[in-house]
Each structure stands twice: as structure tokens, then as C-alpha cells.
């Protein structure tokens, strides 16, 4: 997996089975290919942008969802790729409370939906009519009776068996039922089916049609989902994900470029050959294969603040260097904050406190550990942090590590992990 970071440019993360690349958007466009927008829910570019909410309210919402997300439960599965798929396509991402929405079309004739693009889960699902229980959404529910390409999956099929016994069951007609749940008590239950998916390119007039994509048609869904989204597009490493279903066709390659919340540029996601990035500013670190295979595991060896290096297994006042477990952190498009284990976080916080000349204050809402009062001139100075991955050092500037969480209060956007390690 590879990282390139330039705080003044757009960042592109490319997943290629065993590696990830981050590079400026200008470098990536040299390779061509179909690309689609990613839309942040709270961005002014979002069709569901709510100007009545304040900047700080939107931040707090994304932080709380990021913390809840640590407990997410995902299912792993395996089945064959869709051979009819094209080798390159893309989509737009829309920001949504720390998450990004992707616009896709389902069915024949097609119906447009917005769903959360999630590298931390596998199964793609959308709310379907009729609904036993559905959370409120702005767009109409997907109706499988109004499309000619919808087919339920048999309970004895490879696709159903790949979900595993804990995530699947059979109905009276031998149809496959799925059940997925998340740590924040959100869930989706319904029929496992195949359907035609269509992606409209944001860089050209072409559309890409993907037949027989396995997905969940949810008739019983609830939790902390926002009404702007209609479900989830699973981009994880498990075989039920879109990436794995199309692995042969797209070569296991996809990339995404996430812009800042206030950027005038849209975030992008690309699949296939156009996701490949090259150039002098590209560095690489390996993705570690671990269980569950949903997650993209990286190896974080430590962090540095100025000249002081803190190993992943940081031991205060010790020169000893403990071995680092491979795959000790994951990269997740649906998580806003960076979560670190107790020893490393405490070492980072302590080192930063010694380096920052400021008035430390408590976070009024208790979400963050290291906060400061913003000086009257609006200038807060913090040293850069370097994250050391295997073979790749990522320099994080102040705009990446401290944020004004409410008027006059800036806080470190790293937090203690509660379950697993997230980046």
C-alpha cells in the first residue's frame, strides 16, 4: 500500500489488491479512465446540503459517527466475479457527515439512488419496497417489481453460502435472506438478489452498465443512517463487495480522491486501469492480508513530532523498541477521526503538549483529549506529525491534525481506539 501526501493538493488513494497509492489528482488524470463524483453530505455541492446547520454542528455529527463506527460488524464472503463487467469505470462521491455518497442507478429501467461509499464493509444494499421497517429517506424506495433485471438469489447458491451462516438464512421459497448489523445498532435485513447497476461518468457522457451485481434488497432497516442516503455501497476486501465481484474485470483496482469539505472540487472514485497511478511522488506500503478480509490493513510503525519519534508500541522513558505487529491499523473511508492505541496516543498527546505554546482547555463535549483555546488573532501553531508506515512516511500538517471543533476551540483529531485500530 502506498501513500503520497501533499496538503495543498487533492489526494488520491488507489487500492490495487495488495497496495494503496495516494497522489495528486493532476497526476492521476494522466492515466485517463472513467471517473464518478463522491459527494460529502455536508458539502455545499451536496444536493441535500442543509444551510441551517452550522459548521460546528456538522463537524460534531461526523465525529460522533466516526466514534460509533469503531464497533461496526461486517460479514465476509466469496463468490465469482462478474465476467460481463467493463474494465474501467468511476463515480462521484458526495460527502455526508464524515461519509461520502456515491450516485448509482439500479434496475431496468434504472432508478437513481445515493448510497454511502464504504471501504469498511462488503455488502451493497439499498432500502426496498415493500418495507416492514425502513428509516426515513428523501428519495423513493427501490421497487424490485418495477424492473426487468431483478432476480432473487437461491438459498443453495454459491452467492448465498458465501455470506456465511451468521449472515444468511432461507425463506419459505428457498430464497436467500441476508442480515447485516453494525456496532452503533444500525442494521439491514432483506433479500439477497442480483440486479443491473449503472454508473454515470463525471468526466464524460458515457455510462457503464454492470449486469448481475449481487446486492441486498433491504425490507427491514434502521439505525443512525441519514435520510440523504439509501443504503451502502460495499468497497471492502471481502468477496461480496463490488470490488471483489468485479475483480477479474477491473484487475482489483480502484482509487478515490477526497477533497476537503469546503473545496469547490468534487471528490472522485475510479475503477479499473484508470486507477493506476505513477510518478516521482508516489510511495508505497503493503496491504496486509488478515481476517476479516473486509478491512484494508496497514502497518503503522510509529509517529514523529519534530525530532521525537514514538514507536507504535510506545514505552515512556524507554529506549527499547518492541516489534510491531503487521496489519495493526486499517484505512477506512467511513471514519473521520484517526484512532490510536492507548500507549501511542498518550505519547503523542504528551509530546504535542510539550511542543505547543498555547492555553490548553477541555473539550466541552468530551470527545477529544487535547484541545486549546484559539488565539485572538486566529493563528494556532502546532508542529507537523509524520506517520511512519512500512516503507512510506506521511507528513501531516496542522490542517490535517487540528480542527476548530467549536468557536474558539481547536482539538487534535486523533483519539483513543476502543475496538480495533482505524486510520
Amino acid at each position: 500500500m502506498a501513500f503520497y501526501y501533499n496538503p495543498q493538493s487533492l489526494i488520491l488513494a488507489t487500492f490495487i489488491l495488495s497496495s494503496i497509492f495516494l497522489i495528486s489528482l493532476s497526476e492521476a488524470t494522466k492515466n485517463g479512465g472513467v471517473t464518478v463524483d463522491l459527494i460529502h453530505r455536508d458539502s455545499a455541492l451536496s444536493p441535500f446540503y442543509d444551510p441551517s446547520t452550522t459548521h460546528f454542528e456538522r463537524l460534531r455529527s461526523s465525529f460522533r459517527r466516526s466514534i460509533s463506527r469503531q464497533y461496526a460488524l461486517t460479514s465476509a464472503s466469496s463468490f465469482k466475479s462478474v465476467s460481463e463487467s467493463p474494465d474501467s469505470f468511476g463515480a462521484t462521491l458526495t460527502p455526508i457527515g464524515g461519509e461520502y455518497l456515491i450516485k448509482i442507478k439500479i434496475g431496468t429501467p434504472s432508478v437513481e439512488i445515493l448510497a454511502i461509499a464504504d471501504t469498511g464493509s462488503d455488502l451493497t444494499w439499498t432500502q426496498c419496497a415493500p418495507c416492514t421497517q425502513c428509516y426515513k429517506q428523501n428519495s423513493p424506495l427501490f421497487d424490485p417489481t418495477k424492473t426487468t433485471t431483478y432476480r432473487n438469489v437461491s438459498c443453495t447458491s454459491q452467492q448465498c453460502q458465501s455470506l456465511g451462516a451468521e449472515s444468511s438464512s432461507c425463506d419459505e421459497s428457498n430464497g436467500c435472506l441476508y442480515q447485516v448489523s453494525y456496532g452503533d445498532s444500525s442494521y439491514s435485513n432483506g433479500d439477497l438478489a442480483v440486479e443491473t447497476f449503472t454508473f454515470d461518468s463525471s468526466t464524460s457522457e458515457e455510462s457503464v452498465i454492470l449486469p448481475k451485481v449481487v446486492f441486498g434488497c433491504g425490507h427491514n432497516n434502521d439505525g443512525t443512517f441519514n435520510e440523504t442516503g439509501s443504503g451502502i455501497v460495499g468497497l471492502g476486501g471481502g468477496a461480496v463487495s463490488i470490488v471483489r465481484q468485479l475483480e477479474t474485470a477491473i484487475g482489483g483496482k480502484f482509487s478515490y480522491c477526497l477533497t476537503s469539505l469546503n473545496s469547490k472540487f468534487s471528490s472522485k472514485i475510479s475503477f479499473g486501469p484508470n486507477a493506476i497511478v505513477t510518478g516521482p511522488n508516489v510511495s508505497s506500503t503493503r496491504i496486509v492480508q488478515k481476517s476479516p478480509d473486509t478491512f484494508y490493513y496497514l502497518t503503522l510503525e510509529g509517529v514523529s513530532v519534530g525530532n521525537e519519534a514514538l514507536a507504535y508500541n510506545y514505552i515512556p522513558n524507554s529506549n527499547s523498541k518492541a516489534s510491531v505487529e503487521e496489519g495493526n491499523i486499517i484505512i477506512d473511508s467511513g471514519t473521520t477521526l484517526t484512532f490510536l492505541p492507548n500507549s501511542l496516543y498518550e505519547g503523542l498527546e504528551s509530546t504535542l503538549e510539550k511542543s505547543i505554546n498555547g492555553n490548553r482547555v477541555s473539550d466541552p463535549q468530551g470527545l477529544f483529549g487535547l484541545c486549546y483555546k484559539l488565539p485572538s488573532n486566529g493563528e494556532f501553531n502546532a508542529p507537523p506529525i509524520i506517520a511512519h508506515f512500512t516503507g512510506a512516511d506521511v507528513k501531516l500538517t496542522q490542517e490535517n491534525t487540528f480542527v476548530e471543533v467549536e468557536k474558539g476551540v481547536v482539538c487534535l483529531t486523533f483519539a483513543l481506539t476502543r475496538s480495533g485500530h482505524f486510520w
Side-chain angles (χ1 to χ4, degrees), residues 299-303 310-313 321 324 328 388-391 393:
T299 301
L300 179 66
E301 297 179 343
V303 297
L310 308 172
Y312 185 86
N313 298 312
K321 186 177 181 180
V324 176
N328 55 20
H388 302 287
F389 295 91
T390 300
D393 295 333

Side-chain angles (χ1 to χ4, degrees), residues 27-69:
E27 290 277 344
T29 53
K30 295 177 182 178
N31 294 310
V34 181
T35 302
V36 183
D37 291 337
L38 290 171
I39 310 169
H40 196 292
R41 176 182 66 187
D42 296 327
S43 167
L45 298 175
S46 170
F48 305 112
Y49 176 69
D50 183 2
S52 67
T53 59
T54 69
H55 170 72
F56 300 117
E57 288 172 337
R58 292 190 287 270
L59 282 177
R60 290 288 181 178
S61 175
S62 69
F63 296 150
R64 289 193 179 92
R65 286 188 60 82
S66 185
I67 292 171
S68 297
R69 185 176 173 80

